[in-house]
């Protein structure tokens, strides 16, 4: 029996993405998006992302449960309910190139400007962050506002990893419901979802073991540069979109 190459690519991408996310808290979604868009058009890859990432997120919440800061998760959950609804139901009037440029510049400011901190107890800030992040992520597959906001708090490495996973899980639940309500059929991609699920659990387990060997300083540096590379990609995408 021939092996579906798309299932192999998705499974391998999910394994690497889960490992990166567990070890460094972020970056895996871009690997998932790259593997998904390599075998599917974006109209399929973007709605499929939440279920491809689901097992990895559940595993991270399980492994890092005692480190999750639930006040932030609840605030992001509330914001996501609005952001995802807007993302799946409205047409974004602003050109994609301009949106990419604005988001990229905002990310660079958030990650590099000064040493200001966001209070972890401020629900209003993270409700807004969750709304904007989930809206952009629903439309384009990735959001990237939440990661630098979390890094600006006083949370430490394991708290960042667990809290981010719980926040992203709540967003993905809304996205799965939202895309399903628009008629997206997840059943036809069941082999890809099963492969991603198995790979997600194993990759997260391996990443959790690796994170014990990563210092707080190295973790923050890698986290910061991953977000910076994401921001620069968006900036260049925006600039070339106008050319």
């Amino acid at each position: 029996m021939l092996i579906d190459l798309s299932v192999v690519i998705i499974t391998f991408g999910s394994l690497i993405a889960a490992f990166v996310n567990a070890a460094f808290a972020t970056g895996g979604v871009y690997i998932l998006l790259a593997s998904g868009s390599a075998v599917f058009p974006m109209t399929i890859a973007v709605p499929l992302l939440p279920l491809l990432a689901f097992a990895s997120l559940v595993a991270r919440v399980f492994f890092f449960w005692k480190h999750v800061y639930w006040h932030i998760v609840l605030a992001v959950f509330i914001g996501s309910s609005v952001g995802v609804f807007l993302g799946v139901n409205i047409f974004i009037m602003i050109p994609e190139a301009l949106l990419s440029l604005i988001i990229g510049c905002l990310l660079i400011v958030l990650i590099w400007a000064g040493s200001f901190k966001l209070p972890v107890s401020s629900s209003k800030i993270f409700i807004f962050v969750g709304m904007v992040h989930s809206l952009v992520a629903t439309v384009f597959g990735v959001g990237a506002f939440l990661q630098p906001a979390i890094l600006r708090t006083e949370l430490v490495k394991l708290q960042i990893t667990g809290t981010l996973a719980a926040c992203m899980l709540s967003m993905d639940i809304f996205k799965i419901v939202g895309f399903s309500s628009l008629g997206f059929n997840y059943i036809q991609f069941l082999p890809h979802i099963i492969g991603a699920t198995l790979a997600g659990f194993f990759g997260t387990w391996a990443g959790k073991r690796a994170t014990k060997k990563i210092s707080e300083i190295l973790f923050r540096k890698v986290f910061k540069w991953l977000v910076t590379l994401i921001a620069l990609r968006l900036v260049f995408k925006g600039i070339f979109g106008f050319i």
Side-chain angles (χ1 to χ4, degrees), residues 24-46:
F24 298 105
T26 190
V29 66
Y30 297 92
I31 298 172
L32 267 185
L33 185 60
S35 61
S37 59
V39 295
F40 296 121
M42 291 299 285
T43 52
I44 293 177
V46 171

Side-chain angles (χ1 to χ4, degrees), residues 3-198:
I3 298 176
D4 189 336
L5 184 59
S6 66
V7 175
V8 175
I9 292 173
I10 292 294
T11 301
F12 183 72
S14 299
L15 176 67
I16 302 302
F19 178 87
V20 170
N21 278 332
F24 298 105
T26 190
V29 66
Y30 297 92
I31 298 172
L32 267 185
L33 185 60
S35 61
S37 59
V39 295
F40 296 121
M42 291 299 285
T43 52
I44 293 177
V46 171
L48 201 53
L49 276 181
L51 264 183
L52 296 182
F54 200 81
S56 172
L57 291 171
V58 170
R60 267 189 286 159
V61 172
F62 175 78
F63 285 127
F64 295 90
W65 179 270
K66 64 181 180 181
H67 304 290
V68 175
Y69 201 94
W70 292 104
H71 284 83
I72 291 179
V73 177
L74 178 59
V76 170
F77 178 84
I78 294 170
S80 298
S81 65
V82 178
V84 172
F85 174 80
L86 294 174
V88 297
N89 286 285
I90 69 171
F91 176 77
I92 304 301
M93 301 300 294
I94 187 171
E96 183 178 350
L98 180 57
L99 186 62
S100 295
L101 185 60
I102 292 172
I103 293 172
C105 291
L106 284 175
L107 285 177
I108 291 173
V109 171
L110 274 173
I111 206 71
W112 288 102
S115 58
F116 69 90
K117 294 290 184 182
L118 293 176
V120 293
S121 60
S122 180
S123 297
K124 292 181 180 178
I125 292 175
F126 284 98
I127 288 175
F128 176 75
V129 169
M131 181 178 68
V132 175
H133 180 103
S134 59
L135 190 155
V136 176
T138 302
V139 176
F140 298 106
V142 291
F145 277 99
L146 182 61
Q147 292 90 336
I150 293 288
L151 194 62
R152 284 287 181 180
T153 67
E154 299 292 341
L155 299 183
V156 296
K157 181 179 67 175
L158 298 181
Q159 292 173 321
I160 290 173
T161 302
T163 303
L164 262 179
C167 290
M168 301 300 288
L169 182 61
S170 68
M171 290 183 189
D172 280 1
I173 291 172
F174 282 126
K175 283 193 278 186
I176 292 167
V177 173
F179 285 123
S180 296
S181 69
L182 294 181
F184 188 84
N185 183 10
Y186 285 102
I187 300 299
Q188 62 181 313
F189 303 104
L190 195 58
H192 304 82
I193 294 169
I194 292 174
T197 298
L198 296 175

